[in-house]
Amino acid sequence: MSKITRRKALYLGSATLVAIVAGKTLTQPPTLKHFGSKKGLIYGSAGAYKRLSKDKEFARRFVAECAMLTPENDLKWRHIHPQPNQYDFSKGDWLLKLAQRHRLKMRGHTLVWHSGLPNWVKETVNSQNAEAILIDHIQTVAGHYRGKIHSWDVVNEAILVEDEHPLGLRKSRWFKWLGEDYIELAFRVAAEADPKAMLFYNDYGLDYNIAYDRKRQEAVLKLLERLKAKGVPIHGLGLQAHLSGAETRFNAEKLREFLADVASLDLKIMVTELDVSDQGLPYDYLERDQRVADVYEMYLSAVLDEPNVIGVVTWGLSDRYTWLSNFRPRKDHEPVRVLPLDRELTPKLAWESMVKVFEGLS
Ligand code: XIL
């Protein structure tokens, strides 16, 4: 057995996958990056400076497994623009260097968001100065990384149906200061600052066949239609895809229809923040991992049927570091098991499910 085949056999618990690789000479190590690229997809993960710079074992695995890096927090306003006249690119630049050294593409996340704002924005921005401040931020940040970013999440989470705006728009600070036009403005300024980057609108709650998500899908689609009709430079929709292992109301057909509608606007699609919460799932690892893996498989096999999907990014790579430990903790206080690798960086069933889907086996 070659070194690589042996390694691969160790990773793959499932008999199907082991059977598939048996006898084949692999020229690449078995990583999500490798299986994704065979299908013409970019696989990547979110990663934070504070983890990747300190945990060498994790960083090594990260660059081996991923073809793309999304800075989890380091490009957000609070981190990159901590004071009105002060930008801090040190962590973003460090991540970009890491990505470049290992030939990972880098995503930009995110230029306009209601959250992750430093206090000075809340204290000093008003409808008079908001436009100039927003333009300066986008020019400076997107300009700093000009030519280096695969795709920017230009606007993040602009829809919130419970705010009861007729178009489903979130009544965020930016909306209150500038009206709906802040969205168009952001894309136009970003396109000028970095003409080579793909520009994405990114949002959550677009995944399930429930009234809430369907309303959000409709509002997002209308927003994208309006932007395209106005000739706004937008190239894609990012599906955050923060999924739930306990949620069963999934309908592949309906999701595919939504994605086809998005694609018909001549937009690409990326899964940008995939993870599967295990809140509400049993403690038992086998059962829990199986359900989480099934959700990865079910979701990705539906989404990847859409030819305009160009990549899949998980919101973290290993259960060692995931925002869900805080955001969706388990009631039994046990560590969450929500990402492709476990805390020891060993592939779980979720990793295998992703490989299966990438290999067209599900
Ligand atoms: C989250 C990060 O993972 C956390 O570390 C941070 O405390 C809050 O933000 N949607 C997004 C991401 O677009 O930026 C969020 O990331 C998760 C939800």
Side-chain angles (χ1 to χ4, degrees):
M1 219 186 216
S2 78
K3 207 167 151 200
I4 284 169
T5 315
R6 195 165 55 243
R7 245 180 89 197
K8 181 157 186 175
L10 281 176
Y11 281 7
L12 304 175
S14 103
T16 343
L17 284 170
V18 172
I20 283 157
V21 297
K24 284 194 192 164
T25 318
L26 291 165
T27 51
Q28 296 282 322
T31 57
L32 291 172
K33 156 163 76 183
H34 166 65
F35 291 110
S37 80
K38 278 174 75 187
K39 202 179 159 65
L41 291 168
I42 308 166
Y43 168 73
S45 168
Y49 168 81
K50 70 172 176 186
R51 310 302 191 191
L52 288 164
S53 64
K54 299 211 170 77
D55 184 340
K56 293 285 176 291
E57 182 201 23
F58 174 67
R60 266 199 303 277
R61 188 52 183 275
F62 192 100
V63 297
E65 198 77 38
C66 299
M68 180 176 267
L69 159 66
T70 305
E72 182 169 350
N73 289 309
D74 301 290
L75 304 187
K76 292 174 182 172
W77 278 69
R78 189 180 289 157
H79 297 262
I80 210 163
H81 197 170
Q83 297 297 331
N85 297 312
Q86 187 202 334
Y87 286 90
D88 177 1
F89 296 112
S90 56
K91 300 188 176 83
D93 288 359
W94 190 94
L95 289 172
L96 176 64
K97 261 205 196 125
L98 177 77
Q100 289 176 331
R101 205 179 314 131
H102 298 277
R103 300 211 172 78
L104 277 72
K105 297 180 196 302
M106 174 126 140
R107 299 202 76 240
H109 177 80
T110 168
L111 294 169
V112 191
W113 192 25
H114 63 278
S115 183
L117 293 168
N119 287 334
W120 71 263
V121 169
K122 302 173 196 166
E123 286 153 11
T124 60
V125 181
N126 54 49
S127 13
Q128 272 69 53
N129 62 14
E131 182 170 326
I133 289 171
L134 187 66
I135 292 175
D136 174 72
H137 178 87
I138 297 174
Q139 281 175 343
T140 309
V141 176
H144 180 82
Y145 292 109
R146 184 184 175 100
K148 314 262 170 62
I149 298 288
H150 169 273
S151 44
W152 266 107
D153 291 330
V154 177
V155 176
N156 196 30
E157 303 181 350
I159 297 296
L160 189 67
V161 286
E162 45 275 61
D163 273 357
E164 297 187 333
H165 181 278
L167 298 170
L169 294 169
R170 182 190 290 269
K171 293 177 180 165
S172 69
R173 288 189 157 80
W174 297 113
F175 178 83
K176 286 181 183 152
W177 290 326
L178 299 171
E180 183 184 1
D181 288 352
Y182 83 89
I183 300 175
E184 168 175 356
L185 175 73
F187 278 94
R188 292 194 190 283
V189 178
E192 246 174 64
D194 189 353
K196 292 222 175 96
M198 293 179 74
L199 305 182
F200 273 66
Y201 174 72
N202 193 51
D203 217 331
Y204 65 89
L206 303 169
D207 317 296
Y208 287 106
N209 188 30
I210 55 178
Y212 186 74
D213 284 18
R214 297 200 63 81
K215 278 190 212 148
R216 293 183 54 83
Q217 288 179 346
E218 201 183 311
V220 166
L221 198 58
K222 294 244 168 71
L223 168 63
L224 297 174
E225 280 168 7
R226 289 198 298 284
L227 293 173
K228 287 298 281 190
K230 286 191 215 156
V232 173
I234 173 168
H235 310 113
L237 171 66
L239 306 168
Q240 291 189 7
H242 294 294
L243 306 179
S244 158
E247 177 56 76
T248 55
R249 292 167 291 174
F250 179 74
N251 182 315
E253 202 48 49
K254 294 255 168 67
L255 181 60
R256 279 194 287 257
E257 278 168 23
F258 168 64
L259 299 181
D261 287 342
V262 172
S264 74
L265 296 172
D266 194 22
L267 291 170
K268 299 291 188 203
I269 297 164
M270 274 188 82
V271 179
T272 52
E273 305 188 13
L274 179 60
D275 51 20
V276 178
S277 162
D278 66 356
Q279 201 178 55
L281 297 185
Y283 167 77
D284 181 80
Y285 276 23
L286 267 184
E287 257 183 87
R288 203 185 337 162
D289 287 2
Q290 187 63 61
R291 174 63 191 159
V292 167
D294 288 348
V295 173
Y296 272 93
E297 184 172 338
M298 202 170 67
Y299 185 79
L300 286 179
S301 60
V303 167
L304 296 183
D305 278 345
E306 168 50 56
N308 276 24
V309 174
I310 60 169
V312 175
V313 175
T314 50
W315 206 240
L317 177 63
S318 144
D319 295 334
R320 194 180 285 187
Y321 306 119
T322 158
W323 77 308
L324 291 177
S325 302
N326 299 319
F327 189 71
R328 298 234 187 283
R330 292 178 54 80
K331 295 235 164 66
D332 57 17
H333 306 296
E334 288 298 324
V336 300
R337 299 178 63 84
V338 297
L339 288 168
L341 308 183
D342 71 10
R343 296 164 77 90
E344 278 69 51
L345 309 182
T346 307
K348 295 187 305 179
L349 294 172
W351 184 95
E352 290 183 18
S353 287
M354 294 186 75
V355 172
K356 260 201 240 170
V357 179
F358 290 159
E359 291 280 82
L361 296 170
S362 69

